[in-house]
Amino acid sequence: MHQDEGFPVSRRGVIAGGVASATLVAAPAAQAQTQGTAQSAPPTMPVTLKVNGRTTKINVDTRTTLLDALRENLKLTGTKKGCDHGQCGACTVIVEGRRINSCLTLAVMHEGEEITTIEGLGTPEKLHAMQAAFVKHDGYQCGYCTPGQICSAVATLGEIKAGIPSHVTGDISAQPTVSTDELRERMSGNICRCGAYANIIDAIHDVAGTERTA
């Protein structure tokens, strides 16, 4: 390489100088980024959840969904994360007697509320009637959506008993009945990619003590 008088320059020297300059420039930027990250730690707050008859106080990021709090903080992994957009129903749980998609609500919004997950409905030794009916009628294949299906089915019968109409209820002033059309409509938010819908309807009819219609 060309050398000016009194100032020898080599290729190695140019490369080394460039690396050193880049390091000096990058170091303050990296330090500033680290400091910024430390200063912007996500806010947390305590929340008391009453899950399956047990009261538990946890400290969570205020952005934590109820689904993630159940799975990650309370280790209740029966509730499944499917689409995470409220479209598949795999994360369905029962809150204060009403079924909800736990992926669409924040844990801090349920302070002190009664929450029931699939683990709270029954145990392997003592199944809930709906769990037993799903086994009897083979209302599942891969089983991934089954916890949400069962929670939704239990709440569906509760809705009908409470007289809450659906989109297909003919007379909204009358007591809705446990018909196949009612069950299909009310369970439509729970997707089963294995296609066990017919068996799921049979299981719900079994628990309700009603007969399936065409």
Side-chain angles (χ1 to χ4, degrees):
M1 180 176 288
H2 174 71
Q3 295 182 350
D4 293 332
E5 185 178 351
F7 188 70
V9 179
S10 67
R11 183 185 300 274
R12 186 185 298 273
V14 171
I15 295 174
V19 171
S21 298
T23 302
L24 290 173
V25 172
Q31 184 178 6
Q33 184 177 7
T34 302
Q35 291 175 346
T37 302
Q39 293 172 357
S40 60
T44 62
M45 68 178 292
V47 59
T48 300
L49 301 177
K50 297 180 181 179
V51 184
N52 301 331
R54 278 184 75 180
T55 300
T56 306
K57 190 172 185 178
I58 57 177
N59 202 55
V60 296
D61 183 330
T62 54
R63 300 166 298 180
T64 301
T65 64
L66 178 59
L67 171 61
D68 286 337
L70 292 171
R71 290 181 57 83
E72 305 300 331
N73 295 82
L74 301 183
K75 307 305 178 185
L76 295 172
T77 55
T79 304
K80 301 305 182 187
K81 178 176 285 196
C83 66
D84 216 21
H85 287 79
Q87 298 174 346
C88 72
C91 68
T92 303
V93 297
I94 303 171
V95 178
E96 296 290 315
R98 181 173 60 93
R99 54 183 170 149
I100 66 169
N101 291 324
S102 59
C103 73
L104 293 183
T105 185
L106 300 176
V108 295
M109 296 170 63
H110 299 282
E111 173 73 28
E113 293 186 346
E114 296 284 349
I115 301 168
T116 303
T117 70
I118 189 67
E119 292 92 345
L121 287 178
T123 65
E125 296 76 25
K126 189 177 181 180
L127 295 176
H128 183 280
M130 192 65 73
Q131 292 172 313
F134 265 65
V135 173
K136 175 182 175 181
H137 293 277
D138 196 19
Y140 57 90
Q141 287 186 36
C142 77
Y144 193 84
C145 73
T146 306
Q149 296 275 7
I150 291 175
C151 285
S152 192
V154 169
T156 284
L157 293 184
E159 291 168 5
I160 295 174
K161 184 178 181 179
I164 300 172
S166 76
H167 181 69
V168 300
T169 303
D171 183 357
I172 62 173
S173 65
Q175 175 69 31
T177 60
V178 184
S179 67
T180 298
D181 284 344
E182 283 282 359
L183 296 182
R184 285 171 176 164
E185 169 63 24
R186 293 171 189 265
M187 292 294 294
S188 61
N190 290 79
I191 295 174
C192 173
R193 299 194 185 280
C194 297
Y197 296 115
N199 296 348
I200 290 170
I201 295 299
D202 287 340
I204 303 173
H205 270 301
D206 192 345
V207 174
T210 54
E211 294 292 331
R212 176 176 177 153
T213 56

